[in-house]
DNA sequence: TAGCGGTGTCATGGAACTGTCACAGACGAA
DNA sequence: TTCGTCTGTGACAGTTCCATGACACCGCTA
């Protein structure tokens, strides 16, 4: 449920910047690469959720890159959208045959790009992954976006919801404020660490009516932990 | 049952758009594919009730696609209507031999297409599977395309109808505006996400006289949900 | 050609949410 | 106990998000 990471592989800085700008605005985490060599290096540590690959690259065609990615076991799952200046039908086919999940022809509107990205990500999403997490009578159903204690629904703000969801899917583990900011807020947001405290407080407050606030525990000097065992 | 899903496999955007438009208007849920490769990918997650397949496709003839579908156990039940530009009798025969359930020659009128679709679906349907969804006194009969609360019929515009239908067949689940655009408007339309708000509003307004607008719920920061349980 | 239903976009206002701060309280080390 | 550090808590101002009404546009038809 964190922000999706997108890796752009495009040699023209102007286009890269424009696309990156639009995507960041839309809430994605964006990384950039100028050529296939850089792209390969980034893939390893960035682990993008989706890649935008230009057709024409200085060192190797984007098509080849895509093909090789789809061939490797650990990268075949990454959806790829090809960017191409050529409008010819055969190229489109080529892009898809190479394993790209979609293609888009320059010039394209930001809106169209976003729509395609959403479509591809949605398609790639593992449908029906365990959507319900439960702990000690507290139930979180991600598909309906509901949190409940027994029959009673617990209203939560967006951030508190994400926070609780993260905690419940990573129980019994301490996370520092920095880690929580990274994983719940998203990697490139700049927020005071103390802000986490406040949201923890708000989450606890929402859980109080059901005596469930004990599940959110403070580990002094280290951070916070979600645990059904008492502290 | 739910609204019938139709997958169009056609490389010419103009024709695809036209057909899709007509079908959506008629209340079908439409998905599109430009070639056989895409089509195969979509079949898996879309599970169409019927497919319209163009004769000529960039990567593989529609005939071959049809034949291979009919050969596979899990897709053989899907009825296929071939679209062909060639009027020759032999092609028609070829289409049917390949396993297509019907064929239609371009240019065709939307009405003719609809008639054939209905005919094929009727033939395929194990007669009597009532197309009715109901929730909390709100009834949607897809075969007659009517929505009612008790005895009173509720008038809805086409988009509101599709939206409600989608919601009622996917209750208790939150959909983002993007998802709704994708699944109710169709994957290839580019519309502002805020437009969804407006149609939600129109739908709610139509349901208001029956105090049913509470079924359409806002999940702040996430999207909308149809649910009989209160928010 | 004017009227009409249906659609998509925009501007606006208000409600909900967010991040920050200041201060109080709790805790641990000497 | 005492002090310094860390955490809990209430308040608040800025921002974001959503509901809503208005409006322009389109295709259709009388």
């Amino acid at each position: 449920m964190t922000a999706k990471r997108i890796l752009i592989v495009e040699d023209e800085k102007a286009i890269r910047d424009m696309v990156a700008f639009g995507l960041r605005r839309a809430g994605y985490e964006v990384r950039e690469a100028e050529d296939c060599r850089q792209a390969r290096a980034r893939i390893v540590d960035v682990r993008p959720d989706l890649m935008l690959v230009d057709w024409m690259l200085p060192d190797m065609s984007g098509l080849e890159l895509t093909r090789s990615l789809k061939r490797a076991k650990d990268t075949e799952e990454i959806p790829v959208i090809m960017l191409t200046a050529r409008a010819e039908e055969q190229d489109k086919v080529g892009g898809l045959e190479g394993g790209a999940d979609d293609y888009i022809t320059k010039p394209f509107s930001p809106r169209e790009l976003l729509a395609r990205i959403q479509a591809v990500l949605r398609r790639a999403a593992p449908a029906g992954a365990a959507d319900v997490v439960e702990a000690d009578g507290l139930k979180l159903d991600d598909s309906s976006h509901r949190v409940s204690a027994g029959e009673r629904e617990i209203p939560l703000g967006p951030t508190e919801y994400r926070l609780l969801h993260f905690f419940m899917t990573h129980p019994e583990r301490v996370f520092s404020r920095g880690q929580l900011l990274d994983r719940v807020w998203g990697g490139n947001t700049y927020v005071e660490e103390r802000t986490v405290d406040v949201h923890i407080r708000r989450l606890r407050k929402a859980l109080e009516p059901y005596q469930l606030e004990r599940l959110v525990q403070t580990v002094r000097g280290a951070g916070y932990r979600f645990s059904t065992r008492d502290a």
Side-chain angles (χ1 to χ4, degrees), chain A residues 54 145 178:
Chain A
D54 187 28
H145 216 269

Side-chain angles (χ1 to χ4, degrees), chain A residues 134-139 148-150 212 215:
Chain A
E134 195 158 6
D136 239 16
L138 181 63
K139 193 171 83 177
S148 52
L212 290 170
L215 298 177

Side-chain angles (χ1 to χ4, degrees), chain A residues 203-221:
Chain A
L203 176 56
R204 281 173 173 159
K205 202 166 192 172
L207 298 177
E208 254 173 36
Y210 312 93
Q211 279 85 46
L212 290 170
E213 75 278 12
R214 63 194 174 75
L215 298 177
V216 181
Q217 304 167 356
T218 304
V219 180
R220 194 179 166 85

Side-chain angles (χ1 to χ4, degrees), chain A residues 29-167:
Chain A
E29 198 173 309
V30 183
R31 300 308 163 77
E32 309 179 19
E34 293 185 26
D35 51 45
C36 296
R37 202 183 49 75
Q38 269 192 24
R40 291 184 172 288
R42 299 270 156 103
I43 289 170
V44 180
D45 54 352
V46 172
R47 300 223 145 271
D49 295 294
L50 182 146
M51 292 179 59
L52 296 177
V53 179
D54 187 28
W55 184 273
M56 299 272 287
L57 290 169
D59 54 346
M60 176 179 162
S61 99
L63 183 54
E64 281 179 76
L65 173 64
T66 303
R67 220 181 324 238
S68 72
L69 288 177
K70 291 295 179 179
R71 223 178 278 129
K73 193 79 181 163
D74 57 335
T75 52
E76 67 176 351
E77 294 290 316
I78 305 173
V80 173
I81 297 180
M82 296 281 295
L83 309 177
T84 167
R86 317 188 209 171
E88 293 86 355
E89 188 69 9
Q90 68 197 67
D91 285 352
K92 295 181 176 178
V93 174
L96 291 170
E97 277 178 353
D101 296 83
D102 203 353
Y103 59 85
I104 186 166
T105 307
K106 299 179 199 171
F108 48 80
S109 73
R111 181 189 299 171
E112 184 182 2
L113 180 60
L114 282 175
R116 284 179 191 260
I117 286 175
Q118 282 169 6
V120 169
L121 282 178
R122 214 170 301 127
R123 218 178 300 150
D131 258 347
V132 181
V133 219
E134 195 158 6
D136 239 16
L138 181 63
K139 193 171 83 177
L140 184 150
D141 180 341
D142 200 41
S143 71
S144 70
H145 216 269
R146 284 185 138 123
V147 178
S148 52
E151 286 303 296
R152 312 273 308 161
E153 181 164 357
I154 303 176
L156 288 181
T159 305
E160 283 70 60
Y161 179 88
R162 287 201 309 276
L163 188 57
L164 179 61
H165 183 266
F166 177 76
F167 271 139

Side-chain angles (χ1 to χ4, degrees), chain A residues 1-3 5 29 162-163 166 169-170 173 175-189:
Chain A
M1 210 53 185
T2 58
R5 280 185 300 279
E29 198 173 309
R162 287 201 309 276
L163 188 57
F166 177 76
T169 51
H170 300 84
R173 245 194 83 181
F175 295 95
S176 69
R177 292 173 176 73
Q179 287 175 313
L180 289 173
L181 283 180
D182 246 24
R183 312 207 42 183
V184 176
W185 272 251
N188 42 5
T189 45

